[in-house]
């Protein structure tokens, strides 16, 4: 059934492969908040950047989701923060099975289980978010507590994941 298929997108597989700290994969170098946080977090440990912006791994990642499977965390920062503006960034981190570190729309907590990712907005400043990351990075039990949480609220697809809603959206576009 489609609900099981949707949940499968967010299924966290093989924790043993997650030997690397944090992934960053962006092409736009002009997002100040994201850039500042990357710089601050990199003072704690190297954050691997596989996109065009700040690339430090020597190649551009061609399969983002496969690459993310090696990482405990993934920086998922939008270009800007506006309520309701939630792009693929958080979802990509989830589909890669990481613990996403998210900054962007505060509406994310209404759409996804806030216990399954680090929501910058819950803390309100970079320093407290980084302290949370360090805590999880250094305490496997705490990390696994977050990692085991389902990404979806009550482990159910949200209203935006409805197949019927998506089909109706495209029918409307085609009709207009």
């Amino acid at each position: 059934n489609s609900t099981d298929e949707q949940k499968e997108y967010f299924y966290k597989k093989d924790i043993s492969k997650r030997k690397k700290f944090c992934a960053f994969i962006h092409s736009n170098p002009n997002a100040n908040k994201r850039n500042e946080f990357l710089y601050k977090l990199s003072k704690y440990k190297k954050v691997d950047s596989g996109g065009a912006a700040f690339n430090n791994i020597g190649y551009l990642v061609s399969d983002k989701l496969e690459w993310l499977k090696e990482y405990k965390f993934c920086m998922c920062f939008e270009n800007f923060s506006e309520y309701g503006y939630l792009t693929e960034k958080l979802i990509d981190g989830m589909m890669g099975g990481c613990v996403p570190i998210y900054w962007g729309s505060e509406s994310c907590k209404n759409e996804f289980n806030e216990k399954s990712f680090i929501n910058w907005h819950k803390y309100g400043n970079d320093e407290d978010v980084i302290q949370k990351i360090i805590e999880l990075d250094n305490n496997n039990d705490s990390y696994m507590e977050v990692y085991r949480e389902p990404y979806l609220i009550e482990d159910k697809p949200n209203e935006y994941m409805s197949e019927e809603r998506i089909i109706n959206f495209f029918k409307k576009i085609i009709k207009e």
Side-chain angles (χ1 to χ4, degrees):
N1 95 28
S2 69
T3 299
D4 289 338
E5 289 171 16
Q6 289 166 336
K7 283 170 54 175
E8 176 64 19
Y9 284 124
F10 300 104
Y11 180 69
K12 300 172 190 176
K13 298 175 179 135
D14 202 357
I15 185 70
S16 67
K17 288 184 179 179
R18 298 190 186 282
K19 305 257 187 249
K20 296 180 180 178
F21 171 58
C22 186
F24 175 92
I25 185 162
H26 294 278
S27 57
N28 178 358
N30 300 317
N32 291 338
K33 179 66 181 165
R34 183 168 57 216
N35 299 348
E36 290 170 14
F37 191 85
L38 172 65
Y39 175 75
K40 290 176 182 178
L41 184 57
S42 294
K43 287 182 176 182
Y44 166 63
K45 272 188 181 176
K46 181 185 179 205
V47 176
D48 290 347
S49 177
F54 312 107
N55 188 291
N56 63 3
I57 61 170
Y59 62 94
L60 293 177
V61 170
S62 59
D63 186 338
K64 182 189 300 188
L65 300 182
E66 191 60 36
W67 185 66
L68 291 176
K69 290 178 182 178
E70 297 182 42
Y71 292 88
K72 290 172 70 173
F73 301 96
C74 178
M75 251 185 82
C76 305
F77 277 44
E78 303 289 359
N79 294 332
F80 58 89
S81 179
E82 183 175 314
Y83 195 87
Y85 176 76
L86 184 70
T87 68
E88 81 290 351
K89 291 169 181 64
L90 177 58
I91 295 166
D92 284 349
M94 292 174 171
M95 289 177 69
C98 304
V99 170
I101 305 161
Y102 181 76
W103 175 86
S105 175
E106 292 185 54
S107 69
C108 65
K109 67 184 176 194
N110 303 327
E111 300 175 39
F112 295 99
N113 175 11
E114 194 175 31
K115 294 178 185 173
S116 70
F117 63 99
I118 299 168
N119 181 1
W120 188 99
H121 300 283
K122 181 178 176 182
Y123 299 89
N125 66 70
D126 292 347
E127 292 68 30
D128 288 348
V129 173
I130 290 170
Q131 278 309 117
K132 181 64 176 177
I133 295 164
I134 292 170
E135 172 194 322
L136 295 178
D137 189 41
N138 289 303
N139 183 324
N140 195 54
D141 290 340
S142 295
Y143 177 82
M144 290 307 296
E145 199 173 299
V146 174
Y147 185 80
R148 287 188 182 115
E149 282 286 333
Y151 292 125
L152 304 175
I153 296 170
E154 297 179 13
D155 209 15
K156 296 177 185 167
N158 66 45
E159 65 181 294
Y160 301 105
M161 299 172 131
S162 159
E163 189 174 307
E164 182 181 344
R165 181 181 181 278
I166 294 167
I167 290 169
N168 288 339
F169 174 75
F170 281 109
K171 283 181 179 176
K172 182 181 175 188
I173 290 173
I174 291 167
K175 190 177 179 179
E176 290 176 4

